[in-house]
Amino acid sequence: MTRISAVPHIAAMTPYALADLSVPAGKRLISLAQNESLRGPGPLAVQAARQALCSAQLYPDPDWVALRGAIAEVHGVPAGTILCGAGSMELIGCLAHAYGGPGARILSTQYGYAFFRTAAEITNAGFDIAPETGFTVGVDALLSAVRANTKMVFLANPGNPTGTRISADEIRRLRNGLDARILLVVDEAYGEFADGQDAPVFDLARQGNTVVLRTFSKAYGLAGMRVGWGVFPGPVAAEIRKILNPNNISAASQAGACAAMQDQDYMKETCAITASLRESFTDQLRALGLAVERSHTNFVLIRFAGEQQAQSACRALRAEGILMRGMGSYGLRDCLRATVGSSADMAFAARVLSDWLAGEDPR
Ligand SMILES: *Cc1c(COP(=O)(O)O)cnc(C)c1O
């Protein structure tokens, strides 16, 4: 067979790793590995998506008019400043393409979302990270890590996999401290879980050099529909539109996301249920002597005594069908990230961890 070579920087890449979802035969899979919502989309969203399937011979709306209108109304931002993507991952990828590229450097944080690095590598841009302190992003550390050819900064707030967040004032301080020619992308994939604690930062897009991203994949329970969105400065949006797939979001996904946005009560209820289960799970694990970061998301980062303990716990959980995510790729080999699942699943996970600890050599 002839072997065709890819361009060198693609050939040198390691593939973006999704979670390994295999469990022992006969075990029910309890996936706490991908930060999916503990419940499905609301009935109005499901009904709207179903209805849209009846017209699936037609291409979807390339301008996402209804969806953008719903987002604009809820968030008080002009519809014309919103772009929608097939998941926010598509928007992240397009932003890196348009503003990264060979010779450019893209900056993020020590425990920032792994896909930022992948997006940078795809464009052959360099990638830098600023250290975090206490699993939390520091604005001064980010500002110190800027280099002469830094073209963009990706910041997940709240962070994944840490679950921690910095305040809107700190985001504004970051923006003011960065050179105005650096594009700042604030990825608020978990923003809905923290809304109400702080004022939104969507208005930063008006300055021309900041993008704020959100997604329907987490709080709205629509990860399988692939819909993300963001507030963009006009000229940035114009560049991104050139490289977005022009028919990127299926009609069913647009209709489902639009109805989900219009049903804020359902989403807020999901966030409230999630927060309550997250806090009780955190308390249970802390009572067992495990270190758990305070989270503003639908997951928690659990810190074990060491790498071996984290791996041993991961195996014990997997043997019972429960999947948590190993964090070795972030350099957090002593940690597992656990998505907040249903009440029964979290009680089961806490019990398995408690039994595992009882059988562990305490050293
Ligand atoms: C889950 C997640 C996303 C989401 O992606 P979609 O493509 O919208 O599903 C983006 N950023 C972060 C930090 C995430 O954790």
Side-chain angles (χ1 to χ4, degrees), residues 88 91-92 95 107-108 113 116 137 142 152-159 165-168 170-175 178 183-191 199-205 209-215 229-233:
S88 46
L91 298 170
I92 291 165
L95 282 160
L107 173 63
S108 191
Y113 182 39
F116 296 151
V137 168
L142 267 166
M152 57 191 307
V153 175
F154 277 118
L155 174 66
N157 194 47
R165 67 182 288 276
I166 62 171
S167 69
E170 283 292 277
I171 301 270
R172 290 175 200 283
R173 189 163 78 80
L174 171 63
R175 177 64 275 174
L178 287 172
L183 180 65
L184 171 63
V185 179
V186 185
D187 177 357
E188 299 186 338
Y190 303 94
V201 295
F202 295 119
D203 60 287
L204 283 175
N209 49 14
T210 304
V211 170
V212 182
L213 299 178
R214 292 230 170 176
T215 180
W229 58 280
V231 181
F232 289 69

Side-chain angles (χ1 to χ4, degrees), residues 26-354:
K27 288 286 176 191
R28 179 175 74 93
L29 166 68
I30 301 174
S31 174
L32 306 180
Q34 301 208 93
N35 298 346
E36 292 145 333
S37 175
L38 49 71
R39 63 178 185 170
L44 297 174
V46 172
Q47 194 192 348
R50 268 211 182 108
Q51 185 64 38
L53 284 177
C54 301
S55 307
Q57 79 279 17
L58 303 175
Y59 279 105
D61 178 357
D63 291 319
W64 328 284
V65 171
L67 175 56
R68 288 207 286 185
I71 296 168
E73 184 156 334
V74 166
H75 288 282
V77 293
T81 65
I82 298 166
L83 288 186
C84 302
S88 46
M89 290 173 102
E90 186 188 24
L91 298 170
I92 291 165
C94 289
L95 282 160
H97 265 296
Y99 297 95
R105 301 203 71 84
I106 296 179
L107 173 63
S108 191
T109 60
Q110 188 174 4
Y111 308 123
Y113 182 39
F115 188 68
F116 296 151
R117 177 186 291 275
T118 301
E121 287 177 349
I122 289 171
T123 79
N124 204 10
F127 190 74
D128 299 308
I129 54 171
E132 298 192 25
T133 309
F135 295 99
T136 308
V137 168
V139 168
D140 295 310
L142 267 166
L143 293 174
S144 307
V146 170
R147 300 217 227 164
N149 44 358
T150 298
K151 296 288 186 231
M152 57 191 307
V153 175
F154 277 118
L155 174 66
N157 194 47
N160 173 13
T162 58
T164 60
R165 67 182 288 276
I166 62 171
S167 69
D169 284 347
E170 283 292 277
I171 301 270
R172 290 175 200 283
R173 189 163 78 80
L174 171 63
R175 177 64 275 174
N176 291 336
L178 287 172
D179 186 297
R181 288 162 299 183
I182 295 177
L183 180 65
L184 171 63
V185 179
V186 185
D187 177 357
E188 299 186 338
Y190 303 94
E192 291 82 5
F193 296 99
D195 276 346
Q197 294 186 27
D198 217 335
V201 295
F202 295 119
D203 60 287
L204 283 175
R206 286 207 296 266
Q207 295 183 21
N209 49 14
T210 304
V211 170
V212 182
L213 299 178
R214 292 230 170 176
T215 180
F216 285 90
S217 295
K218 309 286 161 58
Y220 290 95
L222 287 170
M225 300 294 268
R226 314 303 306 128
V227 192
W229 58 280
V231 181
F232 289 69
V236 176
E239 302 296 353
I240 298 303
R241 287 214 81 145
K242 294 179 193 167
I243 53 176
L244 270 181
N245 177 340
N247 282 299
N248 60 348
I249 310 178
S250 77
S253 292
Q254 290 193 41
C258 181
M261 182 57 65
Q262 288 165 337
D263 190 359
Q264 287 290 297
D265 288 348
Y266 186 85
M267 181 277 286
K268 285 178 181 164
E269 190 181 61
T270 302
C271 291
I273 296 168
T274 302
S276 151
L277 288 169
R278 180 189 68 214
E279 295 311 305
S280 53
F281 186 64
T282 299
D283 290 346
Q284 278 175 292
L285 296 200
R286 284 179 178 164
L288 293 175
L290 295 169
V292 183
E293 295 308 309
R294 170 144 167 64
S295 167
H296 300 270
T297 64
N298 68 341
F299 60 85
V300 290
L301 187 68
I302 310 168
R303 211 149 16 106
F304 293 83
E307 176 178 358
Q308 298 209 330
Q309 282 87 348
Q311 282 181 4
S312 163
C314 196
R315 278 194 302 272
L317 289 157
R318 193 179 285 263
E320 295 300 330
I322 304 170
L323 302 186
M324 292 185 186
R325 194 78 172 264
M327 291 287 119
S329 59
Y330 290 93
L332 296 168
R333 286 172 216 292
D334 56 345
C335 294
L336 294 179
R337 189 192 66 193
T339 306
V340 177
S342 71
S343 163
D345 289 349
M346 296 325 276
F348 185 36
R351 199 164 71 238
V352 171
L353 280 174
S354 171

